[in-house]
Amino acid sequence: LEAAGTVVAAGPGTHLAPGTRVAVHAGHGGLAEAGVFAEATTVAASTLVGQALGANNPGEAHRDTMRTLSLATGYMAAVSLVFALVPEAFLSLFRPRDLDDAGYAAITATGVWLMRFVAVYSLIDAVGMILFGALKGAGDSRYLMLSMGGAAILVMIVPTYAAVEWFGAGIYTAWTFLTAYVFALAGLMWLRYRGGKWRRMRVIEQAGQGGQT
């Protein structure tokens, strides 16, 4: 659903002028670049939490989560600053060879704003993804599936489709809903993590204990 929602959010770009489509592709390139490290640290958080809870040490699981969260947000904060302060440096990588200065100016005008969306998106997404990984490592799969699916449909897919297809909204509106989804998902992950139910979960029940799968 998240992937489908991202496609919907990218949809307005397919109806834009070629130069502006390049800006949209550059924005998605920024998302992909920022997401690589977030994915890696998410797997790390999931693995560390699973191991700590398997050893019946929820305190260590929390400490591992916070360490991974600090690492991810520190890295993504630096990346976000680059995207926000010098987006032109990144956009220049996507400049077609046959594009004149006027055409490139159109790309830059749109691309700068999209890179600012990416800057905000990336930092908040890092928080949500690390907490997602921690909850996944604890075995809280049902909540993750329902929260991610629900947020994708209600905050990203349906509003974006309605805004673009029914009201003629443009790429900035679509990316606003994409960013709103990231905020919503991060909030849902934080609420669940803060609630602490994950501390009592075990992917594999320990002998003599009523663990939760």
Side-chain angles (χ1 to χ4, degrees):
L1 282 173
E2 183 175 19
T6 303
V7 171
V8 172
T14 62
H15 306 297
L16 296 174
T20 308
R21 283 203 299 270
V22 174
V24 175
H25 293 323
H28 280 285
L31 288 176
E33 184 70 24
V36 171
F37 188 80
E39 290 288 346
T41 49
T42 297
V43 173
S46 180
T47 302
L48 291 170
V49 168
Q51 291 175 344
L53 290 181
N56 200 29
N57 192 345
E60 183 63 23
H62 173 67
R63 287 188 290 273
D64 287 339
T65 300
M66 292 299 103
R67 292 189 194 106
T68 310
L69 183 60
S70 297
L71 177 64
T73 53
Y75 175 85
M76 295 310 301
V79 172
S80 295
L81 280 176
V82 172
F83 286 161
L85 298 180
V86 287
E88 295 85 356
F90 186 82
L91 292 171
S92 65
L93 300 176
F94 292 84
R95 179 173 182 169
R97 294 180 179 178
D98 59 348
L99 191 65
D100 58 20
D101 291 340
Y104 183 64
I107 292 177
T108 304
T110 301
V112 165
W113 281 103
L114 295 186
M115 294 309 297
R116 288 170 180 165
F117 274 105
V118 174
V120 175
Y121 174 109
S122 300
L123 185 56
I124 303 302
D125 191 47
V127 175
M129 290 297 291
I130 296 304
L131 297 179
F132 176 94
L135 294 172
K136 183 179 179 181
D140 201 0
S141 302
R142 184 171 183 271
Y143 177 82
L144 297 178
M145 179 182 66
L146 293 176
S147 59
M148 178 174 285
I153 292 172
L154 297 177
V155 182
M156 180 168 55
I157 297 176
V158 172
T160 301
Y161 181 85
V164 172
E165 297 297 329
W166 298 347
F167 300 101
I171 189 66
Y172 297 135
T173 300
W175 280 54
T176 296
F177 284 122
L178 174 62
T179 305
Y181 162 73
V182 172
F183 272 84
L185 189 62
L188 290 170
M189 295 301 105
W190 172 251
L191 289 174
R192 185 67 167 184
Y193 184 86
R194 186 179 180 184
K197 186 177 180 180
W198 63 272
R199 293 174 177 268
R200 302 186 298 276
M201 294 182 175
R202 300 294 184 272
V203 177
I204 300 176
E205 294 186 6
Q206 295 182 355
Q209 292 186 359
Q212 184 175 354
T213 59

